[in-house]
Amino acid sequence: MGELFRSEEMTLAQLFLQSEAAYCCVSELGEIGMVQFRDLNPDVNVFQRKFVNEVRRCEEMDRKLRFVEKEIKKADMPIVDTGENPEVPVPRDMIDLEATFEKLENELKEINTNQEALKKNFLELTELKHILRRTQQFFDEMEDPTLLEESSTLLDPNEVNRVAPLRLGFVAGVIGRERIPTFERMLWRVCRGNVFLRQADIEDSLEDPSSGDQVHKSVFIIFFQGDQLKNRVKKICEGFRATLYPCPETPQERKEMLAGVNARIDDLQMVLNQTEDHRQRVLQAAAKAVRVWFIKVRKMKAIYHTLNLCNIDVTQKCLIAEVWCPVSDLDSIQFALRRGTEKSGSTVPSILNRMQTKQTPPTYNKTNKLTSGFQNIVDAYGIGSYREINPAPYTIITFPFLFAVMFGDLGHGVLMTCAALYLVLRESRLIAQKNDNEMFSMVFAGRYIMLMMGLFSIYTGIIYNDCFSKSLNVFGSGWSVRPMFNVRVGGNWTFETLEGNKVLQLDPAVDGVFKGPYPIGIDPIWNIATNKLTFLNSFKMKMSIILGVIHMLFGVTLSLFNHLYFQKPLNIYLGFIPEIVFMASLFGYLVLLIFYKWLLYDVRLSRDAPSLLIAFINMFLFNYSDPTVKPLYTGQQALQTLLVLIALACVPCMLIVKTLVLRRQYLWRKNLGTQNFGGIRVGNGPTDDEAEIIQHDQLSQHSEDEPEAREEEEFNFADVAVHQAIHTIEYCLGCISNTASYLRLWALSLAHAQLSEVLWSMVMHIGLSTRSVAGFCLLSIVFCFFAVLTVAILLIMEGLSAFLHALRLHWVEFQNKFYSGQGFKFLPFTFEGILDGKFED
């Protein structure tokens, strides 16, 4: 686990891959996921790179597979996911895959086109069938069947000439049911009431062949007289997207047409069923292999995209790549390259050559299922600088502990632990389900964080002796009322006094009243004490100060390991030592005073105990003349004065001395590196770092890597002084503000306990107030209400609040003491991350 405390040691390596083996070698490197490729062609357009055609072919295959996947999902078929991780197909298999996908796509498109045409024909025949049936009903309902051949008073009521018979025309069709009212009004207005409309709803819904949606339509028939009205009616029908169908005028012709339509519908239904069966068979066969196809195509695309990052030798026989990789994994990378060379059948081995560079390597922290969540918490603040101390191992303990200090409740901790255990024990099944819900995915990713927070909450709940706002009396209280009663009998206290008074004060100075401390946690008698809040406030406030100062001192101590590793003795003598002394002499002394007061003053001396807050303020003001403030120990004034002076002396060490020493070191290096002889500036040769630099190959040289292009920056005294002043002021003021910030541990712990108590007294107490049968039913209802509020408010809302405050304490108060977080993350080329969608091209 040593690599977890500091990021992995990285190196820049150069790969020489033979053209015929490059594909297989990159494939093997993608399987192990241990190298990050650098783009050696930053100035080359994407469309001008060597393997751009292969990338386009992979994208085209991916498009076809997405079309097939869409058709499978449209058919409500499950896509088979066996968890198989197929090997990358060799380049010559791309032609076979393209042919397979092309054939499958064309077949599905042809089936869809034919099916849509058949469905459209089926819809038209179905609508015609309903028209013929409804039209016959319309004519049967008419009292005079000769209306079509004789004149009608509907056309012109004032017409008196009835000798010449007039012939009425009609059209029939179907229209959307929702358009009927508007359609009818438009006919009436345009035709001025000279048409007669009959309509009836089609009971069964019809399928739209283009969209597949179910639509509801109505059959209509319109009677009119004359070609002019006929043209108007047809235009209105066209505007309302009504479909007109030919309808015979005689009943015999309609009957014969209906029989023919029914026969055609039956034949068409049989063809549709066969077409659908064929489509289902094609999709079922595709559903079994589409997942594997996706993996193969996306792996091929990733390989060709990576090959586009490489340089090509002038002989066109060798590809040159530069990669960042962990030093500890070089053997695995070499082995992967050998496997790739053997698979390709190449006789020339691939070469891995380590390079020296002044570029800052990426930061890589190896994690597992438990540590990845806490590493993400640290990385959310900032990716660590290369090889600096990683806060994640310490966050595994301190983060859930500080959360639990604010969330301390035995019952709530058990509920959170059970929820986290469910996610942990069923993680394999839940991963296989691939739930796309963003909220669930976030909670599932932090399951081990929840588990640790729940376990620590159980511990702090035992310390607070708090379980759903109630105390557990396991070992019996350390307080006894009998000695107090024996002292008071015959005086103020009697049996009636005990029974009639709810509030009586126990004097711990009386022998036997206080038998001894509770074995673990807080005595349960404090749960019924009226001064419970006063006691807990004092206890939790002092505990918050102690935890905060220890946490910050630990953070400052970790900075020492950074200075030692990077060999910066100046930062140790003029940075770490003044910082640790400044904080320890002031706030470390305050912590010692708290423990001293707890140990020195017992129940008989507690009335004369001085206030630590007043004593700490007077320490800064050098005010020791107040007669009301008694000293805690002999020589307190001299010691406190010395500690304040030591703390003040640390400030100029950080503020001024370090800046002056930095300037003197720069001038010394400048004078040592060059000397003037006769006005000519002569160098003493390259430094040790420059001597170790290996020149890049001519094909991969970059100006930023050449030592000649790396001149030492000119020392700017003003900038360094301002930067050091900001850091010193921030640290000194931060020691005060950060210590006060840890009081949120006390505030949120108190708020959580009070919310839990209010919820119990206002909700659960109602159900427990009655003891009848009806009270049992009421208790069941109230308990459900209590459980919902507990989960929603105390677990989710309060838990999220405590989580965010613990996050702030680590990011601001703890990590800023030693963690800069100015690096960039190591993003290896890995098929696993690409297939999961974690890394984009």
Side-chain angles (χ1 to χ4, degrees):
M1 196 173 175
E3 68 274 6
L4 185 62
F5 292 92
R6 196 180 295 277
S7 62
E8 289 286 323
E9 183 181 356
M10 308 294 290
T11 183
L12 183 64
Q14 200 171 36
L15 298 179
F16 295 90
L17 309 173
Q18 293 302 312
S19 297
E20 63 272 13
Y23 181 90
C24 294
C25 290
V26 173
S27 170
E28 292 297 327
L29 293 177
E31 294 291 348
I32 62 175
M34 294 180 181
V35 297
Q36 176 180 342
F37 285 85
R38 297 179 62 199
D39 190 0
L40 300 184
N41 307 297
D43 300 328
V44 180
N45 190 286
V46 177
F47 303 102
Q48 295 176 348
R49 303 197 180 193
K50 179 175 177 59
F51 300 97
V52 63
N53 291 328
E54 285 78 2
V55 173
R56 286 178 176 176
R57 291 168 65 184
C58 292
E59 289 177 347
E60 180 65 16
M61 288 190 290
D62 192 80
R63 182 196 63 78
K64 294 174 181 178
L65 287 178
R66 289 198 303 271
F67 168 75
V68 175
E69 184 183 37
K70 179 182 177 182
E71 292 297 319
I72 294 173
K73 291 181 178 179
K74 188 187 296 184
D76 293 331
M77 287 185 184
I79 296 178
V80 179
D81 186 6
T82 59
E84 179 185 359
N85 185 18
E87 293 185 356
V88 180
V90 295
R92 61 177 175 270
D93 291 343
M94 182 184 290
I95 299 176
D96 297 334
L97 289 175
E98 286 179 322
T100 302
F101 301 156
E102 182 74 20
K103 179 182 177 181
L104 181 59
E105 183 190 30
N106 292 335
E107 187 175 6
L108 284 175
K109 285 184 176 180
E110 183 179 357
I111 292 174
N112 291 341
T113 303
N114 295 337
Q115 193 174 37
E116 185 176 350
L118 291 172
K119 285 185 177 180
K120 184 178 181 181
N121 195 4
F122 182 80
L123 176 64
E124 293 174 350
L125 292 175
T126 305
E127 291 178 347
L128 180 57
K129 179 183 71 173
H130 287 287
I131 287 175
L132 294 173
R133 288 180 179 177
R134 291 295 183 179
T135 304
Q136 186 61 40
Q137 293 178 5
F138 292 153
F139 284 113
D140 292 341
E141 291 173 359
M142 301 174 66
E143 296 180 356
D144 189 0
T146 61
L147 267 175
L148 291 175
E149 299 176 358
E150 297 179 356
S151 62
S152 174
T153 57
L154 177 65
L155 297 175
D156 191 355
N158 299 323
E159 186 180 356
V160 294
N161 187 8
R162 299 176 181 267
V163 178
L166 297 175
R167 186 175 183 83
L168 286 178
F170 69 92
V171 293
V174 294
I175 191 173
R177 191 177 298 177
E178 68 279 357
R179 295 192 178 101
I180 284 291
T182 311
F183 180 64
E184 190 172 0
R185 286 195 298 271
M186 182 62 69
L187 280 173
W188 179 265
R189 292 174 181 174
V190 173
C191 299
R192 299 181 180 179
N194 292 323
V195 295
F196 180 68
L197 172 68
R198 291 290 305 274
Q199 61 89 17
D201 295 337
I202 300 177
E203 292 82 3
D204 301 331
S205 60
L206 304 177
E207 182 182 355
D208 188 352
S210 58
S211 63
D213 299 332
Q214 298 295 323
V215 294
H216 298 276
K217 293 187 176 183
S218 297
V219 174
F220 67 87
I221 183 170
I222 305 172
F223 295 95
F224 51 84
Q225 194 271 330
D227 293 337
Q228 186 176 5
L229 286 177
K230 180 180 180 180
N231 293 333
R232 291 183 182 179
V233 168
K234 287 186 175 180
K235 288 182 179 180
I236 294 173
C237 292
E238 183 181 353
F240 279 86
R241 298 180 182 178
T243 307
L244 298 180
Y245 290 94
C247 182
E249 296 183 359
T250 63
Q252 184 63 28
E253 292 177 347
R254 287 194 292 270
K255 185 176 180 180
E256 293 175 358
M257 180 178 282
L258 181 60
V261 168
N262 288 331
R264 291 175 61 188
I265 287 176
D266 293 339
D267 296 340
L268 201 56
Q269 184 65 54
M270 183 177 62
V271 176
L272 276 172
N273 292 338
Q274 292 177 352
T275 304
E276 183 63 25
D277 291 341
H278 178 57
R279 183 172 181 270
Q280 292 288 329
R281 288 193 297 269
V282 173
L283 292 179
Q284 285 176 357
K288 297 178 181 178
V290 68
R291 206 71 194 166
V292 175
W293 288 340
F294 263 123
I295 295 174
K296 289 182 178 180
V297 170
R298 288 174 180 173
K299 282 185 176 182
M300 292 174 65
K301 179 183 175 182
I303 291 173
Y304 284 118
H305 177 79
T306 303
L307 291 176
N308 277 333
L309 304 178
C310 304
N311 266 336
I312 301 177
D313 190 279
V314 291
T315 61
Q316 301 290 321
K317 294 182 179 180
C318 179
L319 271 72
I320 303 172
E322 289 185 6
V323 297
W324 290 109
C325 57
V327 175
S328 59
D329 295 327
L330 285 175
D331 293 338
S332 301
I333 297 172
Q334 291 274 23
F335 186 65
L337 291 175
R338 285 199 296 269
R339 284 201 312 268
T341 305
E342 293 172 359
K343 282 186 178 181
S344 65
S346 175
T347 57
V348 180
S350 301
I351 300 174
L352 174 65
N353 178 32
R354 288 187 63 180
M355 304 168 61
Q356 296 293 332
T357 178
K358 288 186 177 181
Q359 287 188 336
T360 303
T363 300
Y364 176 43
N365 294 296
K366 289 185 178 180
T367 58
N368 52 35
K369 292 188 294 185
L370 173 62
T371 60
S372 61
F374 296 97
Q375 187 66 56
N376 290 335
I377 288 177
V378 174
D379 292 343
Y381 173 81
I383 305 299
S385 301
Y386 178 63
R387 297 293 288 169
E388 75 171 340
I389 286 288
N390 183 19
Y394 317 104
T395 305
I396 295 175
I397 300 300
T398 58
F399 184 85
F401 177 72
L402 293 182
F403 170 87
V405 171
M406 297 178 279
F407 195 75
D409 190 289
L410 177 60
H412 299 156
V414 169
L415 293 179
M416 181 175 289
T417 303
C418 292
L421 276 177
Y422 172 80
L423 297 176
V424 169
L425 297 177
R426 296 179 62 89
E427 62 181 9
S428 57
R429 295 185 181 180
L430 295 174
I431 292 175
Q433 292 177 2
K434 296 184 178 179
N435 196 321
D436 295 333
N437 186 279
E438 185 177 355
M439 186 64 69
F440 175 80
S441 300
M442 182 179 63
V443 175
F444 181 74
R447 59 192 181 279
Y448 287 99
I449 300 177
M450 287 178 54
L451 180 62
M452 297 291 289
M453 292 191 304
L455 293 175
F456 275 92
S457 297
I458 293 175
Y459 167 74
T460 54
I462 294 174
I463 296 299
Y464 295 158
N465 201 355
D466 198 357
C467 180
F468 297 112
S469 78
K470 296 300 175 185
S471 296
L472 302 179
N473 189 4
V474 180
F475 303 102
S477 175
W479 293 78
S480 176
V481 72
R482 291 186 178 182
M484 200 69 191
F485 177 74
N486 293 333
V487 172
R488 294 285 187 171
V489 73
N492 296 329
W493 283 17
T494 62
F495 286 106
E496 291 76 11
T497 304
L498 291 176
E499 294 176 356
N501 289 274
K502 294 184 178 180
V503 179
L504 293 174
Q505 183 175 357
L506 297 177
D507 188 358
V510 177
D511 294 336
V513 172
F514 183 67
K515 298 183 292 184
Y518 198 65
I520 180 171
I522 295 176
D523 197 302
I525 201 172
W526 285 108
N527 193 54
I528 60 174
T530 57
N531 60 339
K532 169 188 175 182
L533 201 58
T534 304
F535 167 73
L536 290 180
N537 274 345
S538 176
F539 167 72
K540 292 184 178 180
M541 182 171 62
K542 292 182 175 64
M543 179 191 66
S544 301
I545 297 295
I546 294 171
L547 294 177
V549 173
I550 293 175
H551 199 208
M552 290 189 294
L553 285 173
F554 179 61
V556 177
T557 305
L558 290 178
S559 67
L560 172 64
F561 297 97
N562 277 334
H563 303 327
L564 290 174
Y565 178 82
F566 293 113
Q567 298 180 359
K568 296 181 179 179
L570 182 63
N571 289 348
I572 297 176
Y573 299 121
L574 298 179
F576 165 72
I577 293 178
E579 288 176 0
I580 198 77
V581 171
F582 180 86
M583 182 175 290
S585 60
L586 297 179
F587 300 98
Y589 173 72
L590 176 61
V591 171
L592 294 178
L593 283 183
I594 293 174
F595 282 106
Y596 180 79
K597 183 178 177 181
W598 281 346
L599 296 175
L600 180 64
Y601 290 90
D602 56 11
V603 294
R604 293 175 175 81
L605 301 176
S606 60
R607 297 180 184 273
D608 300 328
S611 171
L612 291 181
L613 179 61
I614 301 299
F616 195 60
I617 294 175
N618 290 336
M619 175 181 172
F620 287 97
L621 299 177
F622 298 99
N623 181 15
Y624 299 102
S625 60
D626 190 354
T628 60
V629 180
K630 298 181 180 180
L632 285 164
Y633 56 90
T634 305
Q636 179 180 354
Q637 177 179 352
L639 178 59
Q640 291 184 167
T641 303
L642 177 62
L643 292 176
V644 173
L645 294 177
I646 291 175
L648 293 177
C650 293
V651 176
C653 291
M654 296 182 288
L655 181 63
I656 301 175
V657 178
K658 183 177 178 180
T659 307
L660 295 176
V661 173
L662 285 173
R663 181 174 181 273
R664 182 172 181 82
Q665 285 184 348
Y666 167 75
L667 295 176
W668 178 77
R669 289 195 303 269
K670 185 177 180 180
N671 295 329
L672 182 64
T674 59
Q675 295 179 1
N676 291 324
F677 295 95
I680 302 175
R681 190 170 184 269
V682 181
N684 285 338
T687 62
D688 293 337
D689 291 336
E690 292 173 338
E692 294 178 357
I693 295 177
I694 299 176
Q695 293 293 333
H696 288 192
D697 189 272
Q698 292 181 357
L699 297 173
S700 60
Q701 282 184 351
H702 298 285
S703 60
E704 64 269 18
D705 294 330
E706 296 176 357
E708 291 82 6
R710 286 185 164 270
E711 296 182 357
E712 188 176 3
E713 295 182 1
E714 192 71 23
F715 183 82
N716 193 320
F717 181 80
D719 289 347
V720 175
V722 170
H723 178 271
Q724 193 62 31
I726 292 174
H727 173 75
T728 304
I729 295 173
E730 181 183 8
Y731 178 80
C732 296
L733 296 181
C735 288
I736 302 173
S737 62
N738 293 348
T739 304
S741 183
Y742 277 93
L743 291 176
R744 69 184 69 237
L745 299 174
W746 156 53
L748 266 77
S749 174
L750 180 64
H752 184 79
Q754 291 300 306
L755 275 175
S756 181
E757 186 173 350
V758 168
L759 185 61
W760 180 278
S761 60
M762 296 187 64
V763 179
M764 199 63 186
H765 187 68
I766 299 174
L768 297 174
S769 59
T770 57
R771 299 184 179 180
S772 59
V773 178
F776 175 76
C777 300
L778 178 63
L779 179 61
S780 302
I781 298 173
V782 169
F783 178 76
C784 294
F785 191 58
F786 172 79
V788 171
L789 290 179
T790 298
V791 173
I793 297 177
L794 295 179
L795 282 182
I796 298 179
M797 293 180 62
E798 277 289 302
L800 182 60
S801 175
F803 181 90
L804 295 176
H805 283 281
L807 204 62
R808 181 242 155 78
L809 289 176
H810 279 77
W811 282 355
V812 179
E813 278 72 29
F814 174 59
Q815 291 180 188
N816 71 345
K817 303 295 187 298
F818 66 97
Y819 186 71
S820 62
Q822 296 179 352
F824 59 97
K825 195 170 185 178
F826 175 65
L827 299 176
F829 169 66
T830 167
F831 290 141
E832 182 181 359
I834 293 172
L835 296 175
D836 292 342
K838 296 178 182 178
F839 305 119
E840 299 293 338
D841 287 346

